[in-house]
Amino acid sequence: MAADRAARPRPPLVDHHCHGVVRGELDSAAFEAYLTESDAPAAPGTSYFDTQLGFAVRRWCPPLLGLAPHCPPERYLARRRELGAAEATRRLLRAAGVTEFLVDTGLPGDLTSPQELADAAGGAAREIVRLEHLAERVADTSRTADSFLAALGDAVRAAARTAAGFKSVAGYRYGLDLDPTPPAPAPLRAAADRWLAARASGDPAAARVADPVLLRHLLWSAAHTALPLQLHTGFGDPDLRLDRCDPLLLTDFIRAVRPTGCALILLHGYPYHRGAAYLAAVFPHVYADVGLALTHTGARAGAVLAEVLEVAPFGKVLFSTDAYGLPELYVVGARLFQEALDGLLARWVRDGAWGAADAERVAALVAADNARRVYCLNNTITGDT
Amino acid sequence: MAADRAARPRPPLVDHHCHGVVRGELDSAAFEAYLTESDAPAAPGTSYFDTQLGFAVRRWCPPLLGLAPHCPPERYLARRRELGAAEATRRLLRAAGVTEFLVDTGLPGDLTSPQELADAAGGAAREIVRLEHLAERVADTSRTADSFLAALGDAVRAAARTAAGFKSVAGYRYGLDLDPTPPAPAPLRAAADRWLAARASGDPAAARVADPVLLRHLLWSAAHTALPLQLHTGFGDPDLRLDRCDPLLLTDFIRAVRPTGCALILLHGYPYHRGAAYLAAVFPHVYADVGLALTHTGARAGAVLAEVLEVAPFGKVLFSTDAYGLPELYVVGARLFQEALDGLLARWVRDGAWGAADAERVAALVAADNARRVYCLNNTITGDT
Amino acid sequence: MAADRAARPRPPLVDHHCHGVVRGELDSAAFEAYLTESDAPAAPGTSYFDTQLGFAVRRWCPPLLGLAPHCPPERYLARRRELGAAEATRRLLRAAGVTEFLVDTGLPGDLTSPQELADAAGGAAREIVRLEHLAERVADTSRTADSFLAALGDAVRAAARTAAGFKSVAGYRYGLDLDPTPPAPAPLRAAADRWLAARASGDPAAARVADPVLLRHLLWSAAHTALPLQLHTGFGDPDLRLDRCDPLLLTDFIRAVRPTGCALILLHGYPYHRGAAYLAAVFPHVYADVGLALTHTGARAGAVLAEVLEVAPFGKVLFSTDAYGLPELYVVGARLFQEALDGLLARWVRDGAWGAADAERVAALVAADNARRVYCLNNTITGDT
């Protein structure tokens, strides 16, 4: 079956969790910084190119720019500059094979918009609205807690009319060990008051929303729109406490939010991806993502994906790249996923554990069909193909 | 060695943790419900047949009823109805290769008794008494805390005369983060009082014992009989908080109970099975089960079993199916275990890491001999062979 | 590449975390006790030889003493006695291929000194000073908290002049869920007072330092020397609560200590090694060890090492044996590591995921070069070669 799959075109990919790419040129240090979740340069004598992700970039991307796989990073970056960021981005994105992008627009930097990304890739895009970013923009123009909360409610409802879904980074800002219930009006107003006052006093730490009461309110506001809600869990940058991003900490919230009908998509998960898969197995409204966990583990992507596919029902697992900044990460995310999934399914079919038709069907589910069903993808912005 | 093993009959299996199967016919929805730990129908557009367990059932069971592997679920269920539940059950159970069953009788439903199971399988059976179920039956006829506690003590001692062991689902009812010590008389009596009063008031939530003081008392009552005590850990239905079923939370209880001489068998464990294996490695009276974790991970059973066999001494690992409701789960549990273990041992022998004679010996230990030693299996009820 | 590597000599190994070996003869029970982290004899009917570690010893060591691999333990031990402990130790250590040893000297028993170990192995050795052991020795001759703290500061500074690094077993003594900050003077003096008073009263439990305030003070004292600091995490003997040795519990300490410039090496980690690798990925001053986790998992060492190499940068992973008591553990630790790493790299190169030159480079980094860089190894004690 592996030979069969390699010989025919792969199914299109729906990337349900990704970000814009940098518009301008990147020097070597800036490029390397996008290969890690760290906020610091690599330790003396080491390099972030010496990682599974770095090696995966050097495997898949040089051939797309006319170089040999595994050529030295400097060689690759020189060729990239020679082509120019725009042309390199176009070549890389078109090669990734993603036809639909759900773009989280809440990250900083001079990044492409969803429309630009879709145009460059020859695909289509929809927006995922990051709740904390939305709250911070509303707070920028709010004077009182009441007006903030009212404007926030309006903003969430307005976003729900066009967005494909919401995303929460409460795991980063506080941890997933939040009280599971919606906050009552009085403590909510008090928390909003405190936050606006801290912002007004010029406290730079207060620019970002980190109060657990406000974070819970954002989660419940999104849940009540019944759009899918993405939740950061597991692996991320050193802002977070990884052990407080264990998706199992969400269990009581998952139970509480179930009656709203809101689908919850647990992003990343690694190294708690088996726990995320368990939640997807036992709660009908919970789904598991396999983005960042594959991109950052490179040659080990198949092993990690296999762990997700232990207890997660196959209708509950969604492909993504979680690409951010570098178009290379779209290539790597897509190729690692396809190679990993093809490898697993080929082995299971060969061993007789799975039927070949089931394997084909599951491949299409995880690559695209599950995301289409969960996000009701039918009115995407079509890019310039 | 793989070829050798395939060519000769496999050693008999002792299934130290299983349940009865449904006596009557099952429609498609009822059958599917036994393929998941979820308490809800599958999400719209998905099916619990699309899981590793569902695929494993479709691999192993259709040939036993005269169909091709991986035939569609509807086809299989139609054939099953055609044969009738009793005949299908008989065929499936006889094919599973289990010769001794230790049956947890504490689950609801119109299920076969241990004797009926043994008869249908052509094997032998012993009972495992579920402590919480025992306490609830005693509470049904108790008026006061003192009479309840006295009758409970009598019931535990009476059960110990015939049962092969006890089982606790304290992980489900509360979590494994219990105070490790036996409760003192006064708080114990107070907890019993509260529970009986809640039951008498008709509170339906009080039917089940969930008070941590009472749960601890049950654990210690069982420990003092010195019969083996099975403890639910890890993976289970959405009643539980998976992170509160990490077997490592039992560490202090394990230390405290050590002087009683009671053997503790940590069931399931997944995804914390490496932690369970660690406990089996460092505490002489602790054992690790590999039941549910293999059944529900299907094509990945070998990978999961390998993780258990990293640090667990080979004299401390016990096979089970954790089958419940469907005779198919006996087939799947047994086949997945045998195939997984054979595959691992064959590879390790081929690579020179293990000697062939050691591999044969370890296979027999895990399949049957460890269970026979731990549960002192010599007076099992012989079924109708 | 596997063939290439097998055909040429392997690179030398720097063992950055190990201990002395027993000087005298060992009977069978004493030998077996070194094969486990348990503090108790194996359960009735079981043996610690029936473990991955036991099988690995029987694979690699008998041929070095002129016997067939996997010969029975009794045969091996008889041959060992025939040769005498000194000669067996010499043969085994010379075969292990370790050229530099960083020896933790804080363990009890009649063990070889670093110099003796280096002499027997034909290598070189440096000392790693165990902080808790140092504090206990200082306490033995201290009368007051002030004199204890002053003498401890002197002892740490003196040790830093010759040692290659420090080691903390705070995970054993308390857990890694320590307050991350350095203790203030008043509570520190109070804790020292309490400890010295308990020791003076003859309380045998007080011989060892276990007060979290004192443990934190030791960590910070070591950090201020800027020598590398090894921290026990994960797998160990039943003194510890494994779940309180999750390296992620160190996250806030890791952040707090970052400005000191002290490198932190997370030892063992198993089964939390993916979390340790994550910390090594996002914090420049954090490194991950792969010692005990490989030795104790035997045939599974490749699978465990692969998990460490998922997100840990390759410049951040360090080989060790964690050998203790038995020279056999040096052989097993070294062979398992080399075989595991060779196997992984060969597969990744064959699959095209890695370039061959990168694989060679990473092999040298993990085997020796990372340790040389982190510990500034240039003035080791040269043994008698």
Side-chain angles (χ1 to χ4, degrees), chain C residues 4 27 56 60 102 127 141 170 196 202 205 240 257 272 291 315 350 358 368 372:
Chain C
D4 289 358
D27 65 17
W60 298 112
L102 302 191
E127 189 180 2
T141 58
L196 294 176
L240 57 75
V257 88
Y272 304 112
R350 192 184 63 227
D358 287 320
R372 290 207 179 100

Side-chain angles (χ1 to χ4, degrees), chain A residues 124-196:
Chain A
R126 289 282 295 282
E127 189 179 3
I128 299 289
V129 173
R130 190 184 280 230
L131 291 165
E132 293 79 8
H133 185 65
L134 187 69
E136 288 151 11
R137 281 190 291 144
V138 171
D140 287 342
T141 58
S142 297
R143 308 275 295 269
T144 69
D146 285 334
S147 68
F148 165 72
L149 291 170
L152 179 62
D154 291 345
V156 169
R157 281 185 295 273
R161 283 194 288 273
T162 57
F166 289 98
K167 175 178 175 185
S168 162
V169 291
Y172 268 99
R173 298 295 177 85
Y174 177 79
L176 299 178
D177 46 345
L178 291 159
D179 183 320
T181 59
L188 173 59
R189 200 176 306 111
D193 257 336
R194 281 195 307 274
W195 186 41
L196 293 176

Side-chain angles (χ1 to χ4, degrees), chain C residues 307-377:
Chain C
E307 292 179 351
V308 175
L309 295 177
E310 284 165 1
V311 301
F314 308 130
K316 295 295 209 73
V317 178
L318 279 74
F319 160 73
S320 78
T321 62
D322 197 25
Y324 167 45
L326 303 181
E328 281 83 356
L329 300 182
Y330 281 100
V331 173
V332 163
R335 288 285 197 282
L336 287 175
F337 165 73
Q338 288 170 319
E339 191 185 60
L341 188 62
D342 284 0
L344 293 173
L345 301 189
R347 192 183 331 144
W348 294 339
V349 170
R350 192 184 63 227
D351 293 349
W354 285 36
D358 287 320
E360 289 293 325
R361 193 165 53 82
V362 169
L365 285 174
V366 180
D369 295 349
N370 288 337
R372 290 207 179 100
R373 185 179 65 250
V374 174
Y375 292 97
C376 303
L377 296 183

